[in-house]
Amino acid sequence: MTYLAVPATSAPAVALQLWRSANSIQKAAIVIGLSLILLAVLAPLIAPFDPNSQSLISRLRPPLGFERAKAGYWLGTDELGRDVFSRSLYGLRLTLMLAGLGATLGLLIGGTLGLLAGIVGGRTEATIMAAVDTQIAVPFTLVALFLLAILGSSIEVIVLVLGLAGWEQYARIVRGEVRRLMNMPFIEAARAAGAGPFRIARWHLLPNIISPLVVQFTLALSNIVLLESTLSFLGLGVQPPTATLGSMVGIGRDYMPTAPWIVAAPAMMILLITFAVQILGDWLRDGADVRLRAR
């Protein structure tokens, strides 16, 4: 008559168990994801040059191993003579930060509204679900372009825009799960015992909706990475000279016929991020699902 109990297990033990249960593709995604995070965190220590330092006499130099390559510039230089490797590291750092903050903000907004709609019901639920339907009906790229054109392209505004992308999915998922769980016997028992809405949400609802939220978070994270890259590609994201992976691809597209290495490194990092996040989403879902772990 209570929610599913999760055995008390230490975090390292759970991580080791999940690692052993992972297949080769999942382990590769884990290694790629941790490597990208490590590169982003250590970017100031690893980058051999200032990412914004220009040297016009060294512009458009190819990576090491090619003719005209310049010593120290492992991945070559861009149209302003800036080191592509250093800019890719700093771009990865900023892109992951924006994606993480945006996905977390969307989770908080959508999850809170979905929980409120499922528990309270009535006009509150109708209002929230009307906002959800409106968000779904309007292409969010147009909304993002409008907000950035009005509010500017500061880091705070970009995080807000990215956080508003996909909140409706969280709200729909949480509201549906809460409505289903509210009819379960253990919720009725908690009510009969005098538990209030906050206690029911904290101890009975949230542990049982972690799994779909983890899956949606990973989907949203990769989608936000692509959205940020799209906005930067269009010139409405983080403004130059600050580098993001999307802005590097956007600027480098004009030089692809003669200097494809400008685009190759950031584009490959975007691909690796989306691959790792999607695979890790399924892996974390299985580990976070209390219904599976309680068996």
Side-chain angles (χ1 to χ4, degrees), residues 192-209:
F198 179 80
R199 182 174 180 83
I200 290 175
R202 170 65 180 85
W203 296 105
H204 300 274
L205 296 176
L206 290 179
N208 287 279
I209 62 176

Side-chain angles (χ1 to χ4, degrees), residues 204-227:
H204 300 274
L205 296 176
L206 290 179
N208 287 279
I209 62 176
I210 289 178
S211 178
L213 285 180
V214 169
V215 175
Q216 181 57 35
F217 184 85
T218 55
L219 290 173
L221 189 64
S222 59
N223 289 336
I224 288 176
V225 169
L226 296 177
L227 176 60

Side-chain angles (χ1 to χ4, degrees), residues 35-212:
S35 299
L36 291 173
I37 293 174
L38 188 62
L39 287 174
V41 171
L42 299 179
L45 301 177
I46 299 175
F49 300 97
D50 182 337
N52 298 324
S53 178
Q54 301 180 14
S55 176
L56 295 180
I57 62 174
S58 302
R59 66 188 301 269
L60 299 179
R61 294 294 185 95
L64 293 181
F66 292 86
E67 186 180 357
R68 294 185 61 252
K70 187 173 182 178
Y73 294 89
W74 299 346
L75 298 181
T77 61
D78 63 8
E79 74 285 356
L80 296 177
R82 298 171 296 192
D83 181 40
V84 172
F85 178 64
S86 298
R87 288 182 63 78
S88 296
L89 290 178
Y90 277 88
L92 173 66
R93 180 187 180 94
L94 185 54
T95 295
L96 289 180
M97 184 194 74
L98 292 175
L101 291 175
T104 302
L105 182 59
L107 171 61
L108 293 176
I109 295 174
T112 301
L113 291 177
L115 195 63
L116 186 63
I119 294 177
V120 176
R123 292 184 177 179
T124 300
E125 180 183 14
T127 302
I128 293 174
M129 297 315 297
V132 168
D133 293 338
T134 301
Q135 174 89 349
I136 295 174
V138 180
F140 186 76
T141 302
L142 298 179
V143 177
L145 294 176
F146 174 77
L147 291 176
L148 289 173
I150 297 298
L151 302 177
S153 300
S154 65
I155 296 294
E156 294 78 9
V157 173
I158 293 175
V159 170
L160 175 62
V161 170
L162 296 178
L164 292 176
W167 70 268
E168 76 282 358
Q169 299 299 330
Y170 291 110
R172 293 183 68 186
I173 291 172
V174 172
R175 179 252 187 184
E177 288 293 309
V178 169
R179 290 292 299 272
R180 179 182 65 83
L181 292 170
M182 291 297 285
N183 296 321
M184 301 294 287
F186 66 88
I187 298 294
E188 297 295 336
R191 283 175 171 171
F198 179 80
R199 182 174 180 83
I200 290 175
R202 170 65 180 85
W203 296 105
H204 300 274
L205 296 176
L206 290 179
N208 287 279
I209 62 176
I210 289 178
S211 178

